[in-house]
Amino acid sequence: MSFLAEFFGGIYGTTGLPVLFADPVHLIKTLIMYVIIGTLFYLAIVRGYEPLLLLPIAFGMLLANLPALDGQMLYHMDLFIHEDGSPINMQLIAEQGNLLDFLYLGVKLGIYPSLIFLGVGAMTDFSPLIANPKSLLMGAGAQLGVFVAFSGALLLGFSPAQSAAIGIIGGADGPTAILVTKTLAPELLGAIAIAAYSYMALIPIIQPPFMRFLTTKKERSIKMTTLRPVSQTEKVLFPIIVTLVVCIIVPDAAPLIGFLMLGNLLNVSGVTDRLSKTAQNELMNIVTIFLGVCVGATANANNFLSFSTIKIIILGLAAFCVSTMGGLITGKIMCAVTGGKINPLIGSAGVSAVPMAARVA
């Protein structure tokens, strides 16, 4: 009997069960995380809300919340976030890191968000903006939620850097939120990224009530006139000029804007069709998997289940709502100024760089 007890005890000791049941509080937190993970799986698989984003994120969260000893963990946050603010130690990561630690370097170094923007740029048609530059104002109005969330975060006790990262949720753009957060407040990356991507997925639920409330049936039925044709020369010059102007004015935006415009140039130049298709499909899909899993891996029970996360989720929702209202109100103003030539619903599409908001509009 002692042999059997020792045998099965040895097997039990090699599993994650001793870690799981060692601390009742940690066990409860882990079970709560499994409920959250299950909810994200449900939204992605059953409801079909942005599954390409939510599914990898949810699975990354699952991997981060598996019970394991320190040496068996797939992701070690302490290798990337230091209380004294010291930079990451690449040699230490190489010696002690595991699978997700190496993949996470793509987030920490800002590689994945920029590559995502490369694919987004290749899929984007800037012709309507070139033909009607004043539509840029609606996109600007739809960023009002960024400033509201930033101000709210300051009032709730977050630092200016953390508040800036939280405010970016209102921009409804995942890669931008990740790039800003990993730079300003990496300890909040899991909560901010999950909030941003979840609300992006829920745009079809969040936006319509505001769209119906702030616009009349007559405004929503406005048929906008055909825009002027945009020449090939304009399409080619646009990404080059935007890169020069924006990156000179805001150098920190160079990684995202540069790759966004490179992707667009690959698409409109007419001579790099193969590269454009690769950026839109294979590269975009590969990077999306890595980015989603790595972001999800930062949300383990110890750092995700906190009052700060609740505040971030509430501020993120407020940012989305205010951004939607800001875009719609700007659209209504432009509709009045142009004598009813602009449908104000276009303003709600300015909330996000992803096409979900445009499809809802």
Side-chain angles (χ1 to χ4, degrees):
M1 292 296 293
S2 59
F3 169 76
L4 291 177
E6 183 178 349
F7 175 75
F8 287 109
I11 294 178
Y12 177 79
T14 61
T15 68
L17 295 176
V19 178
L20 182 64
F21 294 107
D23 182 1
V25 175
H26 180 69
L27 173 61
I28 294 173
K29 287 184 176 182
T30 301
L31 293 178
I32 294 174
M33 287 301 299
Y34 288 163
V35 172
I36 296 173
I37 293 167
T39 301
L40 293 179
F41 278 137
Y42 171 79
L43 292 174
I45 298 173
V46 179
R47 302 305 297 269
Y49 292 149
E50 293 293 338
L52 299 181
L53 298 172
L54 289 188
L55 192 60
I57 289 176
F59 204 86
M61 292 174 66
L62 178 62
L63 293 176
N65 288 278
L66 294 175
L69 299 174
D70 288 341
Q72 299 169 331
M73 294 170 62
L74 295 179
Y75 173 72
H76 299 83
M77 183 172 289
D78 58 295
L79 292 177
F80 298 94
I81 301 175
H82 305 132
E83 293 183 1
D84 58 1
S86 59
I88 60 174
N89 188 325
M90 296 297 291
Q91 182 177 352
L92 196 62
I93 293 174
E95 293 174 352
Q96 301 180 9
N98 213 322
L99 173 63
L100 293 184
D101 295 312
F102 298 123
L103 292 180
Y104 185 76
L105 286 171
V107 176
K108 186 65 178 178
L109 301 177
I111 297 172
Y112 297 152
S114 297
L115 292 179
I116 290 287
F117 262 51
L118 179 69
V120 171
M123 293 187 288
T124 302
D125 180 13
F126 287 109
S127 297
L129 177 61
I130 298 172
N132 185 22
K134 60 179 177 289
S135 62
L136 184 67
L137 296 174
M138 287 187 282
Q143 304 307 307
L144 180 61
V146 173
F147 303 99
V148 172
F150 171 76
S151 302
L154 286 176
L155 293 174
L156 290 176
F158 289 98
S159 69
Q162 291 175 330
S163 299
I166 293 170
I168 294 299
I169 297 175
D173 183 75
T176 303
I178 290 171
L179 190 65
V180 171
T181 305
K182 73 91 182 174
T183 302
L184 298 179
E187 69 278 5
L188 301 180
L189 180 60
I192 289 177
I194 291 169
Y197 279 115
S198 297
Y199 290 136
M200 284 166 58
L202 294 174
I203 280 177
I205 296 176
I206 296 173
Q207 285 195 328
F210 295 100
M211 296 164 75
R212 286 190 290 267
F213 178 73
L214 292 175
T215 61
T216 64
K217 186 176 182 180
K218 181 179 179 181
E219 289 174 334
R220 293 194 295 270
S221 63
I222 293 174
K223 294 187 181 297
M224 297 177 65
T225 57
T226 304
L227 301 174
R228 69 170 179 83
V230 178
S231 67
Q232 178 70 8
T233 301
E234 289 177 294
K235 293 180 180 179
V236 171
L237 289 177
F238 180 80
I240 298 173
I241 294 174
V242 168
T243 301
L244 284 171
V245 173
V246 174
C247 295
I248 289 175
I249 297 174
V250 189
D252 288 343
L256 292 183
I257 294 297
F259 272 71
L260 177 71
M261 293 302 155
L262 171 60
N264 185 248
L265 187 59
L266 293 176
N267 185 29
V268 302
S269 65
V271 294
T272 53
D273 186 58
R274 287 171 53 192
L275 298 182
S276 176
K277 289 181 178 179
T278 298
Q280 295 179 43
N281 298 290
E282 291 85 359
L283 180 61
M284 186 79 157
N285 293 334
I286 292 171
V287 177
T288 297
I289 294 173
F290 289 166
L291 179 65
V293 171
C294 290
V295 166
T298 63
N300 62 49
N302 291 330
N303 64 70
F304 187 81
L305 294 179
S306 65
F307 189 55
S308 294
T309 298
I310 296 174
K311 291 190 286 187
I312 290 171
I313 292 173
I314 294 173
L315 288 168
L317 179 59
F320 260 69
C321 295
V322 173
S323 289
T324 299
M325 290 188 288
L328 290 169
I329 292 172
T330 305
K332 287 176 70 72
I333 294 173
M334 295 185 66
C335 178
V337 171
T338 58
K341 294 182 179 179
I342 292 181
N343 191 318
L345 286 182
I346 301 297
S348 65
V351 170
S352 178
V354 296
M356 178 63 78
R359 289 197 294 267
V360 173

